[in-house]
């Protein structure tokens, strides 16, 4: 089984919230990802059973959304915005710096993302969906190192509280 | 006279920065009083005498009359659903993010009142997946509201039942489109659907559904508090009330500003947001999110009036995001980055948008990186007119949703205001060796 007993109970509660079970695919995929660190094929198969659709339908839905990682990624997901406001305030330099710095680090996955709706504090990034704003490459690196060293507690890979 | 903010929707979160999102603070500042009042009224009274009379128009981007939207629900067909759009993804818009994180109960009160008015018994609040803290606070707020009897069975003894479900998105701009949101809520890819049938007739699970933005919902309790007709006295023409504008880019004080509609862009950008930073001149600005055609400094004295901006300036106030760029900005680079966004976010359902955004991005990449060719701008206008026939405002479209024409806003703006500059860049680029069309 893909879901733990506790999460399976949660999953059934989530399904029960919706008039139709298929609506629960997104929340269940978040739950599975938080449990496993990424969205596994087994999890998608179990979600299919829970929502009464085929595994292909679950995969079809999940592959559309950027938050679902369908291959293993680092336990720290650093999402750097480079959309226009961050572009003109230094986002690309932060992305380049972090990509180089953590390129060989299996714990840290650095990704470029679209507008995070934090333009008032641009340039912005998220670490496991926790916002950090008004950054420079140096501050951003220090921040990620803080998470790595345990000086900051990260959220789960889908952004839930631990 | 210096312009100031008119804080209606943002009053609590500005005043009580420490705990504006808690139920205690909400109740201590008059929270849920309007719900009590609403439950003593007839649903049709709220629709007509309050919301319709207020002139409230959707704050998500399209600006459609909220009361009018509600009135499209066919009579006698149940269940009906209320879906609230908190999937804020329009580049440089960050108002809903603030409202969800810092005043979730205000949204919930608006949701319960609105659901009562349209006779819906389930409401879904679709929140952008990346808003981790916002979702946490909204879920807590919903739990607290259930515990206090503001949501659930027989709300405050009125006999009205409502379930509220917070639904978390997972990273897709197009889920912010009204019908894309419904597809996503059904567990599908967030692909928009052709209209008609409009969601009011066949929406979620093919049942009558109203889709309203988070800011729209947050405004509803205040309309009841002030009275619809009083609310309508704020603003200008058919743009009544206040709106939250997200000002960002090269300004001294970027941020969200709630202002009465009808003040000018200049007042908003110069007086409230502190003008262009570093003593520089403004080169251009984008008035309504990435989808809006651009404007120039000469347009700064135009009013923030949805109709005026549409008919006279050929653009839109859209999601209320205003991006300001200084004199050193390369407009082709901004256009390229916006198209990179659209190419990434196109859902792929309609060919003109899927292929068009991809090719526009590739051509803009080479222009903005000094490798443009003299014919590039006209070539983009040529194939772009298969997405937007005629290229005239207001844009027509060959796609199901408004994202198709949005992809051409930046290109049309380059042609309108920066044609010489682009051609010059392209002519310089043409002297360089040709490299294959590629992206970063």
């Amino acid at each position: 089984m893909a879901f733990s007993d506790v999460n399976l109970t949660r999953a059934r509660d989530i399904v029960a919230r919706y008039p139709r079970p298929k609506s629960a695919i997104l929340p269940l995929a978040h739950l599975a990802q938080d449990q496993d660190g990424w969205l596994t094929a087994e999890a998608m198969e179990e979600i299919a059973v829970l929502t009464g659709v085929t595994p292909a339908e679950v995969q079809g839905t999940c592959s559309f959304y950027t938050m679902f990682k369908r291959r293993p990624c680092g336990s720290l997901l650093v999402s750097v915005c480079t959309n226009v406001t961050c572009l003109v305030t230094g986002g690309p330099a932060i992305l380049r710096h972090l990509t180089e710095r953590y390129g060989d680090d299996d714990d840290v996955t650095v990704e470029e993302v679209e507008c995070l709706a934090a333009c008032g504090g641009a340039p912005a990034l998220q670490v496991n969906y926790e916002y950090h704003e008004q950054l420079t490459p140096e501050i951003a690196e220090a921040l990620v190192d803080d998470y790595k060293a345990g000086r900051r507690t990260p959220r789960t890979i889908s952004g839930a509280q631990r | 006279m210096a312009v100031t903010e008119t804080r209606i929707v943002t009053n609590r979160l500005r005043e009580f920065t420490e705990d504006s999102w808690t139920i205690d603070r909400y109740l201590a500042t008059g929270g849920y009083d309007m719900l009590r009042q609403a439950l003593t009224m007839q649903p049709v009274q709220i629709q007509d005498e309050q919301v319709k009379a207020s002139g409230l128009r959707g704050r998500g981007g399209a600006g459609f009359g909220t009361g009018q939207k509600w009135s499209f629900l066919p009579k006698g067909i149940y269940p009906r659903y209320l879906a609230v759009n908190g999937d804020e993804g329009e580049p440089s818009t960050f108002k809903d993010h603030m409202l969800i994180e810092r005043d979730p109960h205000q949204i919930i009160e608006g949701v319960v009142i609105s659901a009562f008015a349209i006779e819906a018994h389930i409401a879904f609040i679709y929140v952008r997946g990346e808003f981790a803290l916002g979702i946490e606070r909204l879920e807590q707020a919903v739990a607290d509201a259930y515990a206090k009897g503001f949501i659930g069975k027989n709300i405050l003894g009125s006999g009205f039942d409502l379930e509220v479900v917070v639904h978390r998105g997972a990273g897709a701009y197009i889920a912010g489109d009204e019908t894309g949101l419904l597809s996503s809520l059904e567990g599908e890819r967030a692909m928009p659907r052709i209209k008609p049938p409009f969601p009011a007739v066949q929406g979620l699970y093919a049942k009558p559904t109203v889709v309203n933005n988070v800011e729209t919902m947050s405004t509803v309790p205040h309309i009841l508090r002030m009275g619809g007709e009083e609310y309508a006295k704020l603003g200008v023409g058919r743009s009544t009330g206040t709106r939250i504008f997200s000002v960002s880019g090269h300004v001294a004080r970027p941020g969200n500003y709630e202002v009465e509609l009808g003040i000018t862009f200049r007042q908003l950008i110069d007086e409230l947001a502190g003008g262009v930073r570093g003593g520089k001149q403004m080169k251009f600005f984008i008035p309504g999110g990435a989808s809006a055609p651009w404007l120039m400094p000469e347009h700064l004295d135009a009013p923030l009036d949805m109709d005026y901006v549409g008919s006279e300036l050929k653009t839109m106030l859209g999601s209320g995001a205003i991006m300001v760029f200084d004199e050193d900005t390369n407009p082709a680079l901004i256009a390229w980055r916006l198209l990179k966004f659209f190419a990434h976010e196109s859902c792929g359902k309609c060919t003109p948008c899927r292929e068009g955004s991809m090719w526009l991005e590739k051509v803009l990449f080479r222009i903005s990186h000094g490798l443009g060719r003299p014919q590039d701008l006209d070539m983009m206008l040529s194939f772009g007119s298969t997405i937007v026939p005629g290229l005239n405002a207001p844009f027509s479209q060959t796609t199901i949703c408004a994202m198709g024409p949005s992809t051409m806003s930046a290109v049309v703006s380059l042609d309108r205001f920066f044609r010489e500059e682009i051609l010059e860049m392209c002519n310089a680029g043409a002297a360089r060796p040709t490299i294959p069309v590629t992206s970063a």
Side-chain angles (χ1 to χ4, degrees), chain A residues 82-136:
Chain A
T82 60
N83 209 305
V84 285
T85 302
C86 288
L87 172 73
V88 299
T89 50
I94 294 172
L95 177 68
R96 259 196 313 277
H97 183 76
L98 295 183
T99 308
E100 279 167 24
R101 169 72 177 72
Y102 299 105
D104 300 324
D105 191 333
D106 288 342
D107 295 337
V108 181
T109 298
V110 180
E111 62 174 7
E112 178 180 18
V113 294
E114 295 299 346
C115 186
L116 290 169
C119 323
L125 60 74
Q126 291 184 320
V127 179
N128 291 10
Y129 301 101
E130 191 81 66
Y131 277 98
H132 299 282
E133 300 179 0
Q134 290 174 331
L135 302 167
T136 63

Side-chain angles (χ1 to χ4, degrees), chain B residues 78-213:
Chain B
Y78 300 91
R80 294 168 170 180
Y81 297 111
L82 174 61
V84 181
N85 190 342
D87 190 56
E88 182 173 62
E90 185 72 23
S92 294
T93 314
F94 46 99
K95 62 185 180 69
D96 297 341
H97 177 192
M98 174 179 75
L99 291 173
I100 294 166
E101 263 183 23
R102 293 169 62 186
D103 208 342
H105 282 287
Q106 181 174 255
I107 301 169
I108 295 168
E109 185 171 9
V111 165
V112 185
I113 295 170
S114 304
F116 177 72
I118 64 168
E119 301 175 72
H121 298 288
I122 305 183
F124 298 93
I125 308 180
Y126 190 109
V127 184
R128 182 169 169 183
E130 288 90 338
F131 293 168
L133 178 63
I135 288 160
E136 201 174 287
R137 286 192 179 156
L138 185 61
E139 283 181 338
Q140 183 62 49
V142 167
D144 291 343
Y146 265 109
K148 298 265 184 193
F150 300 128
I151 317 176
K153 298 275 179 216
N154 190 19
I155 296 171
L156 302 173
S158 64
F160 176 64
D161 303 335
L162 178 71
E163 302 295 328
V164 175
V165 178
V166 177
H167 187 86
R168 182 165 185 203
Y173 166 70
I174 202 62
D177 171 82
E178 180 173 64
T179 56
L181 183 142
L182 297 176
S183 298
S184 186
L185 252 180
E186 290 178 1
E188 307 279 348
R189 298 179 149 228
M191 288 183 170
R193 310 165 180 179
I194 204 154
K195 295 187 274 196
F198 287 90
V201 179
Q202 286 189 5
L204 188 62
Y205 314 123
K207 300 291 184 213
T209 305
V210 165
V211 185
N212 281 147
N213 170 262

Side-chain angles (χ1 to χ4, degrees), chain B residues 71-341:
Chain B
S71 69
F72 290 157
L73 289 166
K75 293 206 181 345
I77 300 181
Y78 300 91
R80 294 168 170 180
Y81 297 111
L82 174 61
V84 181
N85 190 342
D87 190 56
E88 182 173 62
E90 185 72 23
S92 294
T93 314
F94 46 99
K95 62 185 180 69
D96 297 341
H97 177 192
M98 174 179 75
L99 291 173
I100 294 166
E101 263 183 23
R102 293 169 62 186
D103 208 342
H105 282 287
Q106 181 174 255
I107 301 169
I108 295 168
E109 185 171 9
V111 165
V112 185
I113 295 170
S114 304
F116 177 72
I118 64 168
E119 301 175 72
H121 298 288
I122 305 183
F124 298 93
I125 308 180
Y126 190 109
V127 184
R128 182 169 169 183
E130 288 90 338
F131 293 168
L133 178 63
I135 288 160
E136 201 174 287
R137 286 192 179 156
L138 185 61
E139 283 181 338
Q140 183 62 49
V142 167
D144 291 343
Y146 265 109
K148 298 265 184 193
F150 300 128
I151 317 176
K153 298 275 179 216
N154 190 19
I155 296 171
L156 302 173
S158 64
F160 176 64
D161 303 335
L162 178 71
E163 302 295 328
V164 175
V165 178
V166 177
H167 187 86
R168 182 165 185 203
Y173 166 70
I174 202 62
D177 171 82
E178 180 173 64
T179 56
L181 183 142
L182 297 176
S183 298
S184 186
L185 252 180
E186 290 178 1
E188 307 279 348
R189 298 179 149 228
M191 288 183 170
R193 310 165 180 179
I194 204 154
K195 295 187 274 196
F198 287 90
V201 179
Q202 286 189 5
L204 188 62
Y205 314 123
K207 300 291 184 213
T209 305
V210 165
V211 185
N212 281 147
N213 170 262
V214 157
E215 186 186 346
T216 311
M217 285 292 103
S218 301
T219 310
V220 167
H222 299 284
I223 289 173
L224 265 71
R225 183 171 53 78
M226 298 168 69
E229 284 176 15
E230 275 306 303
Y231 184 86
K233 287 180 186 164
L234 288 172
V236 57
R238 288 180 56 247
S239 298
T240 61
T242 60
R243 270 193 80 168
I244 306 172
F245 288 92
S246 307
V247 188
S248 69
H250 292 131
V251 288
R253 293 189 295 272
N256 284 315
Y257 297 94
E258 182 179 5
V259 297
E260 188 176 345
L261 286 158
I263 71 162
T264 65
F265 285 106
R266 189 185 300 284
Q267 287 172 312
L268 176 63
I269 294 170
D270 283 357
E271 294 183 32
L272 290 171
V276 180
R277 65 170 72 153
K280 291 185 182 172
Q281 295 298 307
M282 180 195 294
K283 187 160 184 174
F284 65 100
F285 67 102
I286 310 183
S291 305
W294 306 354
L295 292 175
M296 300 293 279
E298 72 220 45
H299 301 120
L300 280 170
D301 291 312
L304 295 166
D305 171 340
M306 296 180 225
D307 299 314
Y308 181 91
V309 169
S311 63
E312 303 301 316
L313 304 182
K314 311 298 180 204
T315 176
M316 60 178 181
L317 289 186
S319 60
I322 296 181
M323 292 169 249
V324 175
F325 300 99
D326 71 18
E327 56 193 293
D328 298 331
T329 309
N330 174 358
L333 191 69
I334 301 300
W336 163 66
R337 187 60 187 82
L338 291 175
L339 263 300
K340 186 173 176 219
F341 166 78

Side-chain angles (χ1 to χ4, degrees), chain B residues 384-400:
Chain B
S385 64
T386 63
I387 314 172
V388 181
L391 297 176
N392 297 315
F395 283 177
S396 52
Q397 63 194 62
T398 56
T399 54
I400 287 173

